[in-house]
Amino acid sequence: MLACMQPRSEMDIKALLRHTPLFEGLDGAVLDEMLSHFRRETWKQGRRISEQESGQRFHIILSGRLKMGQINPDTGRMVTLFLLQPGDAFDVISLLDGQPNPVILEARDDLLMLSTPMQEARRWIEEHPAFNRSFLPYLGQQMRSLANLAGDLALHDTETRLARLILRHLQPEAPGQPLRLIHNLSHESLAEMIGSVRVVVNRQLQHWQREGVVVTRRGELLIKELETLLKKAMQFSRHTP
Amino acid sequence: MLACMQPRSEMDIKALLRHTPLFEGLDGAVLDEMLSHFRRETWKQGRRISEQESGQRFHIILSGRLKMGQINPDTGRMVTLFLLQPGDAFDVISLLDGQPNPVILEARDDLLMLSTPMQEARRWIEEHPAFNRSFLPYLGQQMRSLANLAGDLALHDTETRLARLILRHLQPEAPGQPLRLIHNLSHESLAEMIGSVRVVVNRQLQHWQREGVVVTRRGELLIKELETLLKKAMQFSRHTP
DNA sequence: ATTTTTCTGCTACCAGGGTTACACAGTTTG
DNA sequence: CAAACTGTGTAACCCTGGTAGCAGAAAAAT
């Protein structure tokens, strides 16, 4: 929905931001003033960039999705810490404390964004306490998702983590369509989001398919037994095989 | 140092907070006004409590340390997400977004804290933008440490994670004393902080001891070869055994 | 002093999940 | 249309690191 919109005019942009958690409550005039300090920026799909390089600017995503993650240079493996969507902002961490953040940014789709120098964004936040009414809860969400990721990685096996990830990314229960499915995330992407590896994700999905819990097709995943998946997400299965 | 102080009077408290990242820059009068809304609270060592129960109040630690973590009820295992020290505040996440946070709090020492209702703390933040000059960077630090934990858990093996943890907790290089050592963290605590288990930590420490990198005694850990440990922390060892 | 609890050292066991490697179906590109 | 690329299915291998269990040393409690 949001992800499909390609805002062109200032009006479109304002309308889009009105529906995002960061800006929904914001006064029109304040929003205008903010927009005047931002400029548009586009990244092509697949562009990968280290935060150091782009870290001097603060971005707000208008369309497309962006992976923010870390890499182990020795193994080449990557974790996704955040999958940012339209309405999300980055890099929040270095905005807050001014330190460079050793993360990798990767455009999963073509990206349209607004951007402004970090300093400008900080100044703006300081001068518009009203914005904090949305900004602070937004920070809370981000921290919470990080905390849950860390907790999951330390405490739960890949099956549980994968089940949870899928449940978190279910499409909004369409009324007519009887099938619930996940939007286009490759096995590779899923793996990076649970801190694992493509082969393992595939193995697990095939296992579930044989159990009749899911059906996989190229680029999509249909959930047949939601309840079973819910159980796996809370690992009752450990003791009752 | 800070951890040893047992502040009694208002003066002591103010002096202590002056040295913490959250309050160091703060105006004296503002600090006074804040303190008037807080009351003292003490927890005994070992007290374990779920965030739900204490989640309605916002706390600032004056002395002692507090573990904030998650538990897997099926296995009983626990991860430490934060090891909070004097000057730290909690629970920041539910302060920000108002949602209950499914974490466990555990007093590692006897705790002396200031506390105030969440609503009060939020109101106070809103009315004192000056405080944000310290608060926002503090949030950044917290998020950063969470992000690093998650990244480490997904990308690095236990040896690397343990090496990094130890390096992060080295005592401030004492001039006379030739030995660098870590303050009193049990193997169990170390394990929880790297998302692993006592046996594994012990195994690793013994391994290092045989290599001559560290010396372990009950309750303390001496680092003999700092450089070796630094290398392990960046896993050069993987390819050059 | 004796009991109880906490911390530590050590062993044997084995399974989850990571590595590597290859084949094939769809898609996109030239 | 062929070629190149991307996403997916599968198999063999085996190593890290978690589980279970016990025993002794130090500390705390009685």
Side-chain angles (χ1 to χ4, degrees), chain B residues 133-144:
Chain B
R133 231 181 290 275
S134 320
F135 184 52
L136 295 183
Y138 179 75
L139 289 179
Q141 297 291 349
Q142 301 272 68
M143 284 192 73
R144 184 180 299 274

Side-chain angles (χ1 to χ4, degrees), chain B residues 78-116:
Chain B
M78 172 164 178
V79 230
T80 302
L81 298 179
F82 293 109
L83 185 62
L84 300 176
Q85 295 184 336
D88 280 317
F90 70 93
D91 176 7
V92 165
I93 297 185
S94 72
L95 173 75
L96 289 173
D97 67 4
Q99 305 296 314
N101 202 9
V103 297
I104 297 289
L105 305 170
E106 188 180 318
R108 264 202 67 80
D109 315 295
D110 287 339
L111 282 175
L112 178 58
M113 305 173 295
L114 296 175
S115 82
T116 194

Side-chain angles (χ1 to χ4, degrees), chain A residues 157-158 196 200 203:
Chain A
D157 57 16
T158 52
S196 181
V200 176
R203 192 188 287 161

